[in-house]
């Protein structure tokens, strides 16, 4: 019988940055293709029937028919990601199947282990592409024309990976799913603070991505007196500080993780700074309030700098409230605390179509999307036991 950590150990060498920079497991690149082969082989070893939809989502069926209980997660990572975000859910699902079979359990409905494609969106910029396509939330034409940093489209990447882009779109298997439970490593510190190995997700916060364009006057770095400048970099600095202050005061989240400077030369005052704001809050009103405040503080600074600030919304993902009946039932069953999260997941996409719940496994580093992401072996096994208990309860 495999353990979750044993299965993760099998994957340790795939897509690993040997300089210590974590994992690069991007959609349709060699490492994720290897991970797909691994998934199909592990499912096959267990006698599970592996199917694949036109979007690259892999499904391993224990039994067949309708009203199936879907479990699983994803195997791709961000650039420089950790070993647990995604793979822990897939490995735990396979291990939970082993646990139940060893105990002689026969499910009353089909159990399906999923490996969702391209959850992180690290290569093409849109997260949860596999589940968005399967549920019809993302139009095939739009998905296929997404480009990576090298200009390769998703369609080209799929073809290179041996998949047919013409098959992309809403998936038939969804009609056979009665519920989804995704197990995932926690991406914060709530379970460290509560002292629990496993928690149940209450909700996913709404998430917005915005582009901030700051326009100034390009000029010479040597001859232009400080008082004569219209420097958008100063306004950018003010925007970063304003966003951190506004988010900290309200326990929300605001991050500038990407910035572009024009012309981008050491001896020039920039003419324009473009930066991307990632903001998250407990409700859509709270998110709008946070972003409004960041923009008004930035505009006040811009007035002082003689620059101009424009904010463009690029995407806003609505809040996800997990099925309250299922969520409360699982929390009671497991004696586990409920916690909200600021991170998106395939479970958040499927929640609009089927009753969905998430289990989180404690991460003692409190760090995710970085090599320090971790879960203790004992907590991983507690996660498998919890998932097996959930399957017994629901199937
Ligand atoms: Zn994930």
């Amino acid at each position: 019988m495999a353990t979750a950590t044993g299965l993760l150990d099998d994957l340790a060498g795939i897509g690993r940055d040997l300089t210590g920079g974590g994992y690069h497991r991007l959609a349709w690149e060699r490492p994720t293709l290897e991970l797909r082969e691994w998934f199909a082989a592990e499912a096959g070893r267990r006698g599970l029937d592996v199917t694949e939809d036109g979007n690259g989502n892999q499904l391993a069926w224990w039994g067949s028919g309708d009203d199936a209980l879907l479990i699983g997660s994803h195997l791709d990572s961000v650039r420089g990601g950790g070993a647990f975000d995604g793979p822990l859910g897939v490995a735990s699902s396979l291990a939970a199947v082993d646990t139940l079979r060893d105990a002689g359990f026969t499910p009353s409905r089909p159990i399906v282990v999923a490996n969702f494609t391209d959850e992180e969106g690290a290569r093409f910029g849109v997260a949860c592409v596999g589940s968005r396509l399967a549920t019809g939330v993302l139009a095939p034409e739009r998905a296929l024309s997404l480009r990576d940093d090298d200009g390769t489209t998703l369609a080209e990447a799929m073809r290179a990976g041996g998949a047919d882009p013409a098959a992309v779109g809403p998936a038939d298997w969804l009609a056979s799913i009665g519920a989804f439970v995704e197990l995932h490593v926690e991406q914060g510190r709530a379970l460290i603070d509560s002292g629990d190995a496993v928690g149940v997700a209450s909700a996913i916060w709404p998430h917005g991505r915005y582009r901030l364009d700051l326009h100034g006057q390009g000029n010479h770095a040597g001859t232009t007196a400080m008082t004569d400048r219209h420097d958008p970099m100063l306004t950018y600095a003010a925007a970063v500080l304003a966003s951190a202050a506004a988010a900290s005061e309200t326990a929300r989240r605001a991050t500038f993780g990407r910035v572009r400077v024009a012309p981008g030369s050491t001896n020039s005052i920039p003419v324009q700074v473009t930066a991307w704001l990632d903001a998250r809050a407990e409700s859509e009103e709270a998110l709008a309030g946070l972003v409004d405040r960041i923009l008004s503080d930035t505009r006040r600074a811009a007035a002082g700098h003689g620059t101009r600030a424009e904010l463009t919304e690029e995407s806003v993902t609505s809040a996800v409230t997990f099925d309250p009946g299922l969520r409360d039932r699982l929390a009671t069953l497991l004696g586990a605390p409920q916690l909200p999260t600021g991170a998106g997941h395939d479970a958040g996409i499927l929640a609009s179509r089927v009753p969905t719940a998430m289990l989180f496994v404690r991460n003692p580093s409190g760090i995710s999307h970085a090599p320090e992401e971790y879960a203790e072996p004992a907590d991983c096994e507690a996660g498998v036991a919890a998932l097996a208990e959930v399957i017994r309860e629901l199937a």
Side-chain angles (χ1 to χ4, degrees):
M1 188 177 88
T3 62
T5 35
L7 289 166
L8 288 179
D9 285 346
D10 293 346
L11 308 180
I14 303 179
R16 186 179 208 152
D17 178 337
L18 297 174
T19 63
Y23 286 94
H24 306 292
R25 295 167 170 170
L26 274 55
W28 302 106
E29 290 187 353
R30 189 65 241 162
T32 48
L33 299 179
E34 274 178 52
L35 291 164
R36 298 167 67 77
E37 286 165 21
W38 171 85
F39 178 82
E42 287 297 328
R45 202 189 315 284
R46 289 167 174 78
L48 307 178
D49 192 12
V50 181
T51 60
E52 189 176 323
D53 69 14
N55 311 304
N57 299 312
Q58 291 176 298
L59 302 169
W61 295 74
W62 177 11
S64 60
D66 286 340
D67 196 32
L69 174 60
L70 184 68
I71 55 177
S73 189
H74 62 97
L75 292 173
D76 65 310
S77 76
V78 296
R79 290 176 206 278
F84 294 83
D85 177 351
L88 180 63
V90 175
S92 299
S93 297
L94 293 171
V97 167
D98 290 352
T99 301
L100 291 167
R101 282 178 160 175
D102 276 23
F105 175 75
T106 308
S108 59
R109 63 204 280 195
I111 308 295
V112 188
V113 182
N115 167 29
F116 283 105
T117 298
D118 198 3
E119 193 273 345
E120 298 288 2
R123 184 171 174 192
F124 296 100
V126 173
C128 302
V129 167
S131 55
R132 284 183 204 270
L133 283 168
T135 52
V137 172
L138 177 63
E141 316 77 62
R142 169 146 188 258
L144 292 172
S145 61
L146 293 169
R147 286 180 191 275
D148 69 8
D149 289 345
D150 297 329
T152 304
T153 62
L154 175 59
E156 290 162 348
M158 286 183 76
R159 230 175 269 123
D164 176 11
V168 154
D172 295 342
W173 56 261
L174 200 57
S176 304
I177 303 301
F180 177 34
V181 179
E182 180 174 5
L183 179 147
H184 204 277
V185 69
E186 196 199 352
Q187 298 174 289
R189 309 186 57 86
L191 293 174
I192 304 174
D193 295 341
S194 73
D196 295 283
V198 176
V200 174
S202 56
I204 299 179
W205 283 10
H207 171 204
R209 297 181 188 209
Y210 311 84
R211 192 181 74 241
L212 178 65
D213 289 300
L214 303 168
H215 309 273
Q217 174 62 59
N219 212 330
H220 196 289
T223 60
T224 315
M226 300 310 283
T227 48
D228 293 340
R229 299 181 178 207
H230 305 286
D231 184 351
M233 188 65 92
L234 294 180
T235 314
Y236 174 56
V240 174
L241 295 175
S243 68
S248 306
E249 283 166 25
T250 53
R252 294 170 185 142
R253 310 279 187 270
T255 306
F256 281 100
R258 182 176 159 209
V259 61
R260 207 163 58 200
V261 180
S265 63
T266 306
N267 58 354
S268 298
I269 298 163
V271 62
Q272 182 163 345
V273 174
T274 301
W276 282 264
L277 170 68
D278 177 305
R280 307 180 194 221
E282 69 279 14
S283 67
E284 270 143 73
E285 304 78 68
L287 177 64
L290 173 65
V291 174
D292 280 351
R293 181 172 153 198
I294 293 169
L295 181 60
S296 67
D297 288 357
T298 302
R299 288 207 161 126
R300 193 170 315 115
H305 302 144
T307 60
R308 194 162 50 80
E310 278 174 71
L311 190 81
T312 308
E313 178 184 304
E314 293 201 328
S315 68
V316 172
T317 307
S318 304
V320 173
T321 306
F322 290 111
D323 186 271
L326 182 59
R327 179 191 70 196
D328 294 349
R329 184 174 166 195
L330 299 191
T332 304
L333 174 75
L334 302 171
Q338 296 193 21
L339 45 137
T341 176
H345 298 284
D346 293 311
I349 305 298
L350 262 74
S352 65
R353 300 292 298 274
V354 294
T356 297
M358 285 192 81
L359 305 182
F360 289 126
V361 172
R362 176 166 53 193
N363 171 357
S365 72
I367 293 172
S368 185
H369 285 186
E372 293 81 1
E373 180 182 278
Y374 188 62
E376 296 286 354
D379 286 356
C380 292
E381 295 326 307
V384 172
L387 185 58
E389 205 176 332
V390 165
I391 295 169
R392 273 181 189 279
E393 170 79 6
L394 300 178

